[in-house]
């Protein structure tokens, strides 16, 4: 038969043990936390690499990326050449109130224009202010850490190995031989 009040005594014992231990409290925001390397914070934009291909906006499951652009005609590089047209970025914005930080936009970008920044202090008092335009996204780009160094014991990529092999072959051929 259970003793009446045994549960209360156990609870008080836990409380007394906890009260005597020193508490561990992070002193945030006075002391910033030590973040692990390559931690995810916000998405940063390297505008020079963006070709306005719209892959990031199309693949985003939340549709939180807004891109506006226009076409611009580029004059011919050589006389007699034809003019080219290229897309020019007018607006690139991410609504962080909708973003679920999945990173799909970063993965699908073929030109490395989007990166994870470790910045995490971007709270706003109004939810409408969580839509950050390209100027703010560019500011966060400079907080992106450098990629980790390659493993020196790793196998050389096939592309690099093929390039080295072709260079060695070209260097081994005597000058003036066309191979024909």
């Amino acid at each position: 038969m259970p003793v009446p009040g045994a549960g209360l005594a156990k609870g008080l014992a836990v409380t007394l043990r906890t009260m005597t231990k020193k508490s561990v409290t992070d002193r945030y925001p006075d002391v910033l936390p030590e973040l692990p390397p390559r931690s995810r914070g916000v998405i940063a934009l390297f505008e020079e690499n963006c070709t306005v291909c719209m892959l990031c906006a199309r693949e985003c499951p939340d549709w939180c990326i807004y891109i506006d652009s226009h076409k611009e005609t580029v004059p011919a590089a050589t006389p007699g050449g034809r003019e080219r047209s290229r897309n020019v970025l007018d607006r690139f914005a991410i609504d962080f109130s909708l973003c679920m930080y999945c990173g799909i936009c970063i993965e699908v970008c073929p030109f490395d224009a989007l990166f994870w920044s470790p910045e995490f202090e971007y709270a706003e008092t109004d939810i409408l202010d969580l839509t950050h335009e390209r100027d703010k996204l560019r500011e966060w780009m400079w907080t992106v850490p450098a990629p980790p160094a390659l493993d020196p014991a790793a196998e050389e990529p096939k592309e690099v190995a093929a390039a080295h092999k072709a260079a060695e072959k070209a260097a081994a051929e005597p000058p003036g031989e066309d191979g024909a």
Side-chain angles (χ1 to χ4, degrees), residues 8-22:
L8 178 65
K10 280 184 180 178
L12 287 173
V14 169
T15 303
L16 288 173
R17 268 197 315 266
T18 307
M19 282 176 45
T20 58
K21 290 182 182 175
K22 185 178 185 306

Side-chain angles (χ1 to χ4, degrees), residues 2-128:
V3 180
L8 178 65
K10 280 184 180 178
L12 287 173
V14 169
T15 303
L16 288 173
R17 268 197 315 266
T18 307
M19 282 176 45
T20 58
K21 290 182 182 175
K22 185 178 185 306
S23 63
V24 179
T25 305
D26 290 336
R27 300 288 178 206
Y28 180 80
D30 299 328
V31 178
L32 293 178
E34 191 76 26
L35 295 175
R38 309 299 294 167
S39 61
R40 292 181 174 192
V42 293
I43 298 167
L45 171 69
F46 189 52
E47 193 175 337
E48 290 76 17
N49 286 359
C50 183
T51 61
V52 197
C53 66
M54 305 279 193
L55 277 174
C56 55
R58 279 187 298 208
E59 295 297 325
C60 178
D62 291 331
W63 290 70
C64 64
I65 299 175
Y66 310 110
I67 301 174
D68 292 330
S69 66
H70 69 276
K71 289 207 182 273
E72 201 173 76
T73 303
V74 179
T78 59
R82 69 181 183 120
E83 293 181 334
R84 306 262 182 202
S85 66
R86 68 179 183 109
N87 289 326
V88 177
L89 184 66
D90 292 329
R91 179 180 186 227
F92 192 103
I94 299 176
D95 188 350
F96 286 106
S97 66
L98 296 175
C99 182
M100 63 182 183
Y101 304 92
C102 63
I104 292 174
C105 58
I106 295 170
E107 295 298 321
V108 301
C109 181
F111 302 103
D112 290 332
L114 297 173
F115 294 89
W116 283 115
S117 168
E119 291 293 312
F120 60 91
E121 298 177 308
Y122 55 95
E124 301 287 346
T125 55
D126 186 7
I127 197 167
L128 298 175

